[in-house]
Amino acid sequence: MNLLNDPWLPFLLKSGEVDYRAPSALADPDVINLALPRADFQGAAYQFLIGLLQTALSPKTHDDWLDRLLEPPSVAALDTAFEPFNSAFELDGDGPRFMQDLDPLEDVKNATVSGLLIDAPGANGIKNNTDFFVKRGRVDAMCDSCAAIALYTMQINAPAGGAGIRVGLRGGGPLTTLVMPELSTARLWERLWLNVITQKEAIQKGQQWSTPHPEEPSLFFWMANTRVSDKKGTEVLPEDTHPLHAYWSMPRRFRLLFDEADECTCDICGRKTQRLVRELRAKKQGANYDGPWLHPLTPYRRDPKKPNELPLSSKGQPGGLGYRHWSGFVLHDEDNSGAIAAAVLKSYIDGKQPLVTQERRFDDNIQALLRETRLWVFGYDMDNMKPRGWYSIEMPLVEIPQGQQEKLRVWIQQLTELARNIAWMVRTQVKNAWFSRPSDAKGDMSAIDSQFYDATQAVFFKALLGLRQSLQDNPSAPHIPSSVAENWYFALKYEAMRVFEDLALSGAHESMDLERATAAHRQLQHFLSGKSKGSKVVSDFIKQGSFDPSAKAKRNEASAVTTTGDA
């Protein structure tokens, strides 16, 4: 099967139908999304197609990028653009195979194809019979389509796997951040092209741009002998590769073994197929990525006080993803907080948004372009080589006024810092209400934080829109607008008390210690008022926001009296 010519990807059409087509179908106006059978496959397929567009159609400038956004290629034109790379995308055969070792690996034993799935139990789990929740034997056979995307998913996300089993270019369990159109009916072309960057933006330190070619081994490692990493000095550094290699990284050594069968069922997608993959060969000591890699679709962090340390990719963590991570994903701030936004986000905010804003003055047809977009963040939460969960969330993006990114970052940090401290106090006082010795209480209490953050997420993005509007109307504003600060404070205060009361005061009376609960309730109230010893972050926020919390409380009391007719 050739991954550029054959109909192996499931596309979602406007009609709601799913149709398997070749990758060039992404240019069809009737195609609005992908429809892969697993969430991690869906995210990987997006990255596959973005990498394909980046390789075949890399724009030189943002003007070139905008031209293609406004006038997408036809399916036939895209086929023509992909055609030169056909030889690098053969999934099987005697020559080079897509993302597989050039060596047939006949010196190793065959393994089950489920080894391509990140959430499949490992060899030790099976040997020790500890696969209690994620069972063995769920996937014994894959069709060639599912095997292809499973292979790609593993290569770009490869987690730690033990001695000699190499981790992915971004480290195990990396997060991916993409820019998405607001409309659910937007064309797939728009969803993908929003995440294509210019040639200059794709280049990392030490690299030089050259026209991508299918026989270029520094771009597609599988087109040449394996870069074996069985000794020191064989690490793969950014300067050793083509600027687009990050989209096609290959840390693992695999060979898929294909079987012909009569109408067998794929254990993943459920389709009937006559070509199956039941086994594969895997070998250690594949490409060992090292050095200051920055994948274009992944955010990173570094310690500004330790400039010689390598950047670390952002990864999924227990407690999920939400608005408290928004600034680190979107607003580049390497020198102060150490947040390194993905190149695709920097391109969108620093290049594409300003260009479209400028072009709107001359062309009404692009009035709505990039006006409303969303940030899609997804990835595994890994504990070394064990997946704890898969996270996928969409959050709004806003148009950031030119020259105001740093001020917006500071303001958002003030909002999220207040939320973080209040979430911590809610969790602390819930534990004080629950336990006689809360400091000795064991177990994961992150669900309390998650409940609080989930309840305040919509209010945060409303506040974000208020900050943007303020920066547009009054660029010299020295602090968060009082109305935004006041609304945010009272929203956090309300939800903090609601979450506490829901968790600490709503249980059965016989299992509740009312004295402890009442004391914890009182301590939480004092903290939220900014009058307790440890609530300086609250009092500082009130002072910086220039609002009087007691004045609003008095207004609410007066309104309540008027409404009930007791005045």
Side-chain angles (χ1 to χ4, degrees), residues 20-32:
Y20 279 76
R21 301 184 186 179
S24 58
L26 67 89
D28 187 332
D30 288 331
V31 172
I32 61 172

Side-chain angles (χ1 to χ4, degrees), residues 148-350:
I149 195 62
L151 174 66
Y152 183 75
T153 304
M154 173 58 80
Q155 293 285 27
I156 65 172
N157 295 295
I165 301 178
R166 300 306 181 194
V167 72
L169 176 146
R170 298 178 274 186
L175 291 176
T176 299
T177 53
L178 300 180
V179 181
M180 289 287 113
E182 176 71 22
L183 293 176
S184 61
T185 55
R187 292 178 54 176
L188 180 58
W189 167 262
E190 296 172 2
R191 298 172 186 275
L192 298 169
W193 194 249
L194 275 173
N195 296 283
V196 172
I197 58 180
T198 65
Q199 295 173 9
K200 183 178 180 180
E201 291 168 332
I203 297 173
Q204 297 188 44
K205 186 176 180 180
Q207 295 178 332
Q208 290 186 337
W209 181 265
S210 62
T211 302
H213 189 276
E215 305 298 329
E216 174 52 65
S218 72
L219 174 59
F220 302 126
F221 278 9
W222 59 90
M223 300 301 289
N225 291 327
T226 304
R227 300 195 180 200
V228 179
S229 57
D230 55 352
K231 62 180 87 172
K232 289 186 177 181
T234 55
E235 296 82 4
V236 178
L237 306 175
E239 55 265 33
D240 299 330
T241 68
H242 189 279
L244 299 183
H245 173 70
Y247 294 93
W248 309 109
S249 57
M250 185 182 157
R252 300 288 182 88
R253 304 180 67 182
F254 290 118
R255 288 283 287 197
L256 304 184
L257 304 178
F258 294 87
D259 289 332
E260 300 294 336
D262 293 329
E263 291 296 316
C264 285
T265 301
C266 173
D267 289 334
I268 292 182
C269 68
R271 291 194 304 156
K272 297 291 185 181
T273 180
Q274 294 182 340
R275 190 161 174 76
L276 288 170
V277 180
R278 299 181 188 274
E279 294 183 317
L280 54 78
R281 296 180 186 135
K283 195 169 184 177
K284 298 181 179 181
Q285 312 296 349
N288 184 16
Y289 292 99
D290 199 2
W293 282 100
L294 294 174
H295 191 287
L297 305 180
T298 291
Y300 289 76
R301 298 197 71 84
R302 74 174 351 136
D303 187 344
K305 297 178 181 178
K306 301 177 181 178
N308 294 327
E309 289 190 357
L310 296 178
L312 298 175
S313 62
S314 297
K315 298 177 174 62
Q317 298 293 330
L321 304 170
Y323 69 82
R324 61 196 185 279
H325 305 107
W326 188 91
S327 177
F329 293 152
V330 176
L331 303 178
H332 188 79
D333 182 43
E334 185 173 359
D335 295 332
N336 295 304
S337 68
I340 304 175
V344 66
L345 264 296
K346 287 189 287 185
S347 174
Y348 171 75
I349 291 171
D350 298 337

Side-chain angles (χ1 to χ4, degrees), residues 76 126 152 184 189 245 260 317 359 385 387 397 421 445 455 457 501 533 537 549 557 564:
I126 295 174
Y152 183 75
S184 61
W189 167 262
H245 173 70
E260 300 294 336
Q317 298 293 330
E359 292 297 316
M385 65 185 73
L397 285 172
N421 278 270
M445 301 290 177
Q457 179 148 301
E501 291 167 4
K533 289 184 178 180
V537 67
E557 289 176 6
T564 57

Side-chain angles (χ1 to χ4, degrees), residues 20 68 77 84-85 182 208 226 247 261 268 326 355 370 378 392 394 406 441 443 445 471 481 500 518 527 559 562:
Y20 279 76
R68 284 199 185 275
F85 299 94
E182 176 71 22
Q208 290 186 337
T226 304
Y247 294 93
I268 292 182
W326 188 91
L355 174 63
L370 305 193
F378 57 86
S392 176
E394 288 193 17
E406 175 58 21
M445 301 290 177
L471 291 173
F500 174 85
T518 302
F527 179 86
S559 176
T562 303

